[in-house]
Amino acid sequence: MHFTRYAVYYTPPEGAFAAFGAAWLGWDVARGLPVAHPEVAGLPAPVAEITATPRNYGLHATMKPPFRLAQGQEEAALRDAFARFCAQVRPVMLNGLAVTALGRFLALMPEGDTTALDALAAQTVRAFEPFRAPLSEAEIARRRAGGLSPNQEARLMEWGYPHVMEGFRFHITLTGKRPKSELQELREILAAQLLPLLPRPYPIDALSLMGEDAQGRFHRIARHVFTL
């Protein structure tokens, strides 16, 4: 399959959490297939509407944001570099994950100290910079359209994305933007569904190399467990 962009994500291992997340969003990145939404009682809107925005990305947390391959780089080299990287980093243990409002959308976010996780994310961004093509003028304009602080602008120009390094916040997106009046009810419903599926503490012990197809949907190319 030809991919237009690549990314490095955290995706959960096979199991109940990954299965529910794929169904909730309607897209399974591991199999590259749509999934029927679950029946969840009490939702303020249909699942398909609630999850329309994050669906194409699947259940994930972004570590290296999507990028086009730089001139002269090939997917095979990226795959090799990704495997080497995962063999050289250590797992991070989080206290747990909680369903949290992030602006007007909901996400699973870490509980407790995130210093080691933030360092891993920064290390991931740096490691794959040689593979990232410079942003086009259209890409820069699109990122600036929502308004950027001076620090976000600096990160956009240096790393291709404003929400990395000091601007990074690990999150596994669960919804698109929703009315503020819905968020508390929706958070409680999702917490009841998800929290029994999540281990405590929660390990970040693998990363996934992802590819975006021509329709804008992401597929998992490889998932490597850290071996240190």
Side-chain angles (χ1 to χ4, degrees):
M1 180 179 292
H2 173 72
F3 295 118
T4 59
R5 294 191 300 170
Y6 296 86
V8 177
Y9 290 166
Y10 167 76
T11 66
E14 289 186 13
F17 173 37
F20 176 83
W24 172 253
L25 293 176
W27 177 249
D28 186 334
V29 296
R31 295 186 297 153
L33 293 172
V35 185
H37 294 302
E39 295 289 337
V40 179
L43 292 173
V47 179
E49 177 187 322
I50 293 170
T51 60
T53 300
R55 180 165 306 122
N56 286 352
Y57 298 87
L59 188 70
H60 81 287
T62 300
M63 301 295 278
K64 173 71 173 178
F67 59 92
R68 291 177 293 103
L69 277 183
Q71 186 174 0
Q73 295 286 10
E74 296 181 352
E75 182 183 310
L78 177 59
R79 285 175 179 250
D80 290 344
F82 177 69
R84 290 194 301 271
F85 178 80
C86 290
Q88 297 169 0
V89 295
R90 296 183 182 279
V92 172
M93 193 64 71
L94 304 175
N95 291 349
L97 297 175
V99 180
T100 307
L102 190 57
R104 285 176 47 201
F105 68 92
L106 295 178
L108 284 164
M109 298 188 69
E111 296 177 311
D113 181 55
T114 62
T115 301
L117 180 59
D118 296 343
L120 173 61
Q123 187 179 1
T124 306
V125 169
R126 292 189 187 96
F128 298 99
E129 270 297 282
F131 293 94
R132 181 179 69 85
L135 295 177
S136 67
E137 290 301 320
E139 289 169 330
I140 293 172
R142 187 162 60 250
R143 291 297 178 194
R144 286 173 172 166
L148 297 177
S149 69
N151 285 338
Q152 289 171 335
E153 172 72 17
R155 292 191 292 266
L156 175 68
M157 301 311 294
E158 183 172 3
W159 304 108
Y161 193 70
H163 307 300
V164 295
M165 303 305 182
E166 296 82 2
F168 173 76
R169 296 180 74 181
F170 180 95
H171 60 282
I172 298 175
T173 304
L174 299 173
T175 76
K177 288 184 178 179
R178 304 303 302 165
K180 289 184 179 180
S181 60
E182 289 183 10
L183 290 178
Q184 181 60 26
E185 178 186 18
L186 189 52
R187 189 196 69 78
E188 291 173 359
I189 291 170
L190 276 171
Q193 295 285 329
L194 281 167
L195 296 189
L197 309 180
L198 300 174
R200 293 183 65 88
Y202 192 94
I204 303 296
D205 57 1
L207 290 175
S208 295
L209 179 64
M210 312 295 294
E212 183 184 28
D213 67 21
Q215 287 72 49
R217 289 198 162 180
F218 278 81
H219 300 247
R220 193 173 74 193
I221 298 170
R223 184 179 190 273
H224 292 307
V225 175
F226 304 154
T227 53
L228 277 185

